[in-house]
Amino acid sequence: AYIEKLPEWQRTICERLRELVWETDPEIEETVKRTVQPYFVLDGNVCALLATKDHVNLFLYDPTVSDPHGVINQGHDNQTARAIQIYDGDEIDRDAIVGILTEIVDHNRQGGWRRLSRS
C-alpha cells in the first residue's frame, strides 16, 4: 500500500529495488515497520525503502558492508546503517545493489554485523 501511493517515478524505483531484493535471496521476507515502511528481513534487517520528496532511500542495515562500486551515498559515519539515495532518472546499478545485499544477508546468517565486528 505504501508503494502504491507514491508518484509513478518513485513507484518504479521501489518496484525495481524490490525485484533486486528478491533476486538476491528469495528467502528475504517483506514486512512493514514503523507503521508504513517496507522492510526486508532475513535473520535480521537487510534493508528498507523510504520515499522522500525528491528521492528514494534504500537503507542498508549493515554499516560494515563493502561498496566496491561506490553506490552508497549517505550515512558513511552512521553507526548502524547506510543508504543509497536514488533520484528520478538515476540508473540503478543492479550488480552493485545485489552484491551489497548479498553481503548483508551473509553477515546476518553469521549472526549479524555486530557479532562479526566483535570477532
Side-chain angles (χ1 to χ4, degrees):
Y2 174 81
I3 293 172
E4 290 173 10
K5 294 177 185 174
L6 297 174
E8 184 177 343
W9 69 270
Q10 287 182 323
R11 240 186 354 257
T12 300
I13 291 170
C14 288
E15 288 167 358
R16 179 64 179 136
L17 292 173
R18 281 168 116 182
E19 290 170 8
L20 294 179
V21 167
W22 289 319
E23 181 181 327
T24 298
D25 192 312
E27 291 183 25
I28 294 174
E29 295 180 13
E30 184 173 3
T31 187
V32 174
K33 294 185 181 185
R34 298 186 179 174
T35 313
V36 295
Q37 276 183 264
Y39 273 71
F40 300 88
V41 296
L42 180 61
D43 296 327
N45 288 335
V46 175
C47 61
L49 299 174
L50 176 65
T52 69
K53 184 177 180 177
D54 65 348
H55 66 277
V56 172
N57 282 307
L58 176 63
F59 288 106
L60 308 167
Y61 287 96
D62 184 339
T64 68
V65 71
S66 60
D67 183 20
H69 297 270
V71 297
I72 296 173
N73 55 13
Q74 183 188 44
H76 291 285
D77 296 326
N78 191 306
Q79 299 284 326
T80 58
R82 297 190 201 164
I84 300 171
Q85 296 176 330
I86 303 168
Y87 293 83
D88 188 14
D90 282 357
E91 187 148 337
I92 296 174
D93 187 332
R94 177 218 169 268
D95 293 339
I97 291 174
V98 169
I100 289 168
L101 296 177
T102 298
E103 188 175 338
I104 294 171
V105 167
D106 183 52
H107 288 174
N108 283 1
R109 285 186 166 139
Q110 294 178 61
W113 65 268
R114 286 181 175 95
R115 181 174 181 213
L116 293 173
S117 295
R118 283 186 246 135
S119 301

